[in-house]
Amino acid sequence: RVKTGVKNDGTFVARELEVLLDCGAFGDDSPGVLGFALLCGRGPYRFAHVRSHGQLVYTNKLRFGAFRGFGNPQVSFATESQIDEIAARLAMDPIELRLKNIIRDDDVWFGGQVLHSNGLRECIEKARDASGWRNGAPAPSSSGRRRALGFALAGQQSGLLGTGAIVRLLEDGTLVLNVG
């Protein structure tokens, strides 16, 4: 359940998030997944007030575990879908609504960390312009199929629960860098 307070001009004011998580028959990773999902509930946006709460429910199923997102995809799907609904109600372009409210340099991020720099605005603007977003729906292709355009954001923090990097020097002298 997501509840977002927004001014008439599109400024985000507050968000409340409630998450009910099926953790299967064993707790294992579920508390960590729930905690991370709750942290991700604000997304990469500026809010004066955020309240997140969640509950784990034991069920007669196999153990629950995280895979590629640690609770973030589910929460981001709900919150981003709601932002699209808000944009429609305000008759605003969904990307412009997001740009109005994204985090900025020196804002506080997950867990109190200060962002000294980020390229989110530039990334959004480049994606918008390269996709033809402002031109409306793309024309049908030669096969007659239509393409659809969609847009969503998610916040992810590397290193909150641990991070690492692997650097390999290959026989041909090239370097391979693997990071989360």
Side-chain angles (χ1 to χ4, degrees), residues 129-178:
D129 297 343
S131 69
W133 180 269
R134 290 186 172 156
N135 300 328
S141 67
S142 57
S143 67
R145 294 183 179 181
R146 286 198 167 270
R147 284 188 330 147
L149 289 176
F151 197 88
L153 299 175
Q156 178 70 20
Q157 173 131 356
S158 296
L160 183 64
L161 302 173
T163 191
I166 299 170
V167 179
R168 293 184 294 158
L169 177 60
L170 302 181
E171 293 82 10
D172 66 358
T174 58
L175 286 172
V176 176
L177 172 63
N178 296 330

Side-chain angles (χ1 to χ4, degrees), residues 1 18-22 34 53-57:
R1 188 180 70 76
E18 180 181 337
V19 175
L20 182 63
L21 189 102
D22 178 352
L34 177 62
H53 47 99
Q55 196 171 18
L56 297 170
V57 178

Side-chain angles (χ1 to χ4, degrees), residues 51-157:
R51 185 173 111 171
S52 298
H53 47 99
Q55 196 171 18
L56 297 170
V57 178
Y58 288 97
T59 59
N60 191 20
K61 296 180 184 174
L62 294 174
R63 71 180 286 278
F64 174 90
F67 186 76
R68 304 289 186 264
F70 224 71
N72 190 353
Q74 299 88 335
V75 169
S76 293
F77 176 78
T79 56
E80 287 297 299
S81 297
Q82 187 184 62
I83 289 173
D84 286 341
E85 293 173 9
I86 292 167
R89 280 188 128 174
L90 294 174
M92 286 184 75
D93 180 278
I95 293 179
E96 294 307 315
L97 178 61
R98 287 171 170 87
L99 283 169
K100 180 179 184 69
N101 291 286
I102 60 169
I103 54 172
R104 300 177 190 144
D105 293 353
D106 297 322
D107 279 351
V108 176
W109 190 232
F110 297 132
Q113 297 90 353
V114 176
L115 289 176
H116 296 292
S117 68
N118 78 81
L120 185 55
R121 174 172 296 281
E122 181 183 3
C123 178
I124 293 169
E125 290 170 347
K126 284 185 177 186
R128 176 196 61 205
D129 297 343
S131 69
W133 180 269
R134 290 186 172 156
N135 300 328
S141 67
S142 57
S143 67
R145 294 183 179 181
R146 286 198 167 270
R147 284 188 330 147
L149 289 176
F151 197 88
L153 299 175
Q156 178 70 20
Q157 173 131 356

